Amino acid sequence: MNAILSPRQRAMMRYIREFRSAHGFAPTVRELMPAAGTRTTHTVFANLRVLEDKGLLRLTRGVARGIHVVGAYKAVPIVGYLGDNGFEPLR
């Protein structure tokens, strides 16, 4: 499962994993708001649905703590980009 995540999605996944490790259960949507850098539950829900579509989470609808991590992801550092002349390292 090679999922490319936005910075917000990475932060949410990290927070969900750390929260579950510390407390033994998943965070609520409201508890995810600071990790997502937002003040609205809509933004959190939208990103949770994207993470579910990418196969990283399974959401149980109607359950406050119904977030289950099912997939793995790996952060990959960006070392350069492909320009007109091929690979160009970051400066």
Side-chain angles (χ1 to χ4, degrees):
M1 234 173 286
N2 293 333
I4 297 174
L5 304 179
S6 71
R8 176 174 284 159
Q9 292 163 358
R10 273 195 306 277
M12 289 175 62
M13 286 297 296
R14 186 178 316 112
Y15 184 83
I16 292 166
R17 288 178 189 272
E18 290 172 359
F19 190 98
R20 185 174 282 284
S21 291
H23 301 285
F25 49 85
T28 63
V29 171
R30 290 198 184 277
E31 289 168 336
L32 271 168
M33 287 170 29
T38 184
R39 293 175 16 177
T40 67
T41 56
H42 176 77
T43 302
V44 174
F45 275 120
N47 281 281
L48 287 173
R49 283 191 291 274
V50 169
L51 291 168
E52 184 177 40
D53 291 344
K54 290 181 178 186
L56 298 173
L57 297 178
R58 183 173 45 86
L59 301 175
T60 304
R61 306 295 195 264
V63 177
R65 298 183 184 273
I67 303 169
H68 308 280
V69 178
V70 294
Y73 73 98
K74 182 178 179 182
V76 179
I78 298 173
V79 296
Y81 61 95
L82 290 176
D84 293 336
N85 300 323
F87 178 79
E88 298 179 28
L90 293 176
R91 296 180 179 103

